[in-house]
Amino acid sequence: MLDAGRTQETLLEVNNIEVIYNHVILVLKGVSLSVPKGGITALLGGNGAGKTTTLKAISNLLHSERGEVTKGSILYRGERVQDLGPSDLVKLGVIQVMEGRHCFEHLTVEDNLLTGAYTRTDGKAAIQADLEMVYAYFPRLKERRKSQAGYTSGGEQQMTAIGRALMSRPETILLDEPSMGLAPQLVEQIFEIVKSVNENEGVTFLLAEQNTNVALRYAHYGYILESGRIVMDGPAADLRENPDVKEFYLGMSDTGRKSFRDVRSYRRRKRWLS
Ligand SMILES: Nc1ncnc2c1ncn2[C@@H]1O[C@H](COP(=O)(O)OP(=O)(O)OP(=O)(O)O)[C@@H](O)[C@H]1O
Ligand SMILES: [Mg+2]
């Protein structure tokens, strides 16, 4: 279900991948997903479902964790990318914002942003213009630009991490758990910015989130991952209305609100699979 302005062109395609850590631990058991150009696609699921593993498989960051894609294929614009290095992928226009908003703590906010432009060859003026673009999306970063990143707040560090990704002029951003550890108001603010970057700059997003509620309000399409398998997918608007999603992931049901703990224990029933 894509609006006018977004195309049906698929940028990223993950076909039935299996990921094994340390040669023995099978974590992804046949995950398939597709990311259309210009959309915001959400990869949802609880702790340990395999969201980060999926993103790292795409961006070739598993090797340092002793993880390996042992089956399936990953294509970007139809080209097989799973044997490339992480920096090759950046050159293709795909950049990952890691979980836990990794910044260079000893560098200033501005220098952190500038490190995002390291693969670019289009000159200082273009990079300076993009720095101003990032500051326009994140006015807070402009105020803090001379501060050492390690001393800025969690929200500012998340903004810095996203801003740094934007500095590489990406076609696609893989965004891992942008809401992590942030107050609800700040989460909303960050998702608003993701939405405007998507709409105004045409950047495609694949975002991993435990926060189903906020992710399904901003994404166009969602995949729900449980124990290394996609158990459901659909347009975000449909998932928001799905009774199982409501009960298990949005903490709501016809009988009233459930606590997160109830939701977690019920989740094992996986009604939609039986
Ligand atoms: N380097 C590793 N070695 C072995 N097992 C790992 C490694 N990294 C992750 N795992 C395991 O893989 C599974 C999936 O983890 P992953 O980090 O992908 O989940 P996630 O959905 O991102 O969870 P969270 O929401 O907590 O970030 C978990 O069971 C985890 O313990
Ligand atoms: Mg994760």
Side-chain angles (χ1 to χ4, degrees):
M1 202 186 64
L2 295 171
D3 305 332
R6 265 176 278 133
T7 65
Q8 296 284 0
E9 183 190 341
T10 299
L11 274 186
L12 173 68
E13 219 181 304
V14 174
N15 296 312
N16 206 19
I17 58 164
E18 191 176 273
V19 168
I20 295 184
Y21 283 114
N22 293 316
H23 302 291
V24 286
I25 310 163
L26 177 64
V27 168
L28 298 188
K29 304 158 187 166
V31 168
S32 299
L33 55 90
S34 94
V35 175
K37 186 174 169 60
I40 301 177
T41 303
L43 185 57
L44 305 163
N47 271 125
K51 304 180 297 297
T52 297
T53 302
T54 305
L55 295 191
K56 285 186 173 168
I58 295 166
S59 50
N60 287 300
L61 293 171
L62 283 177
H63 291 296
S64 55
E65 308 234 359
R66 297 175 53 80
E68 207 186 341
V69 179
T70 48
K71 269 188 198 157
S73 63
I74 302 171
L75 307 177
Y76 193 75
R77 280 196 242 122
E79 185 189 337
R80 192 180 153 99
V81 292
Q82 71 219 64
D83 311 313
L84 301 179
S87 64
D88 297 324
L89 214 63
V90 177
K91 284 181 200 139
L92 282 180
V94 185
I95 188 139
Q96 176 157 358
V97 178
M98 307 272 273
E99 188 176 62
R101 45 189 176 263
H102 291 270
C103 293
F104 300 107
E105 293 187 358
H106 301 292
L107 297 184
T108 63
V109 165
E110 184 153 297
D111 285 341
N112 264 279
L113 295 175
L114 289 171
T115 62
Y118 77 103
T119 54
R120 290 175 56 168
T121 52
D122 53 351
K124 269 191 173 160
I127 291 172
Q128 192 58 40
D130 283 349
L131 193 58
E132 290 308 321
M133 168 199 69
V134 170
Y135 287 147
Y137 283 109
F138 299 101
R140 185 75 193 140
L141 294 186
K142 188 161 193 176
E143 289 166 28
R144 302 287 269 144
R145 68 187 189 278
K146 299 291 174 211
S147 308
Q148 200 174 313
Y151 292 121
T152 62
S153 71
E156 289 159 355
Q157 288 183 27
Q158 184 62 274
M159 292 175 188
T160 302
I162 298 173
R164 189 176 61 201
L166 284 174
M167 289 301 292
S168 73
R169 275 263 157 214
E171 182 172 48
T172 298
I173 296 182
L174 310 175
L175 185 53
D176 198 355
E177 211 87 55
S179 77
M180 194 197 234
L182 302 182
Q185 205 186 344
L186 208 50
V187 171
E188 213 66 46
Q189 208 180 324
I190 286 187
F191 272 84
E192 281 295 335
I193 293 167
V194 165
K195 183 176 171 217
S196 36
V197 168
N198 169 255
E199 287 172 357
N200 304 333
E201 314 297 326
V203 174
T204 298
F205 283 88
L206 173 60
L207 58 92
E209 256 304 337
Q210 282 202 28
N211 189 334
T212 311
N213 185 346
V214 72
L216 286 182
R217 279 190 286 111
Y218 287 93
H220 307 113
Y221 199 91
Y223 291 87
I224 299 179
L225 196 58
E226 265 189 22
S227 310
R229 288 193 172 89
I230 304 283
V231 291
M232 192 187 274
D233 69 289
D238 295 356
L239 291 180
R240 276 203 308 267
E241 296 307 317
N242 180 290
D244 289 324
V245 175
K246 278 186 174 171
E247 183 175 353
F248 300 141
Y249 289 97
L250 300 175
M252 293 179 271
S253 72
D254 293 340
T255 52
R257 243 187 126 74
K258 284 187 185 302
S259 77
F260 189 61
R261 234 186 36 224
D262 290 338
V263 173
R264 279 167 67 99
S265 58
Y266 274 110
R267 196 186 288 164
R268 295 204 191 93
R269 282 167 33 204
K270 288 185 214 159
R271 281 206 315 226
W272 53 78
L273 284 180
S274 56

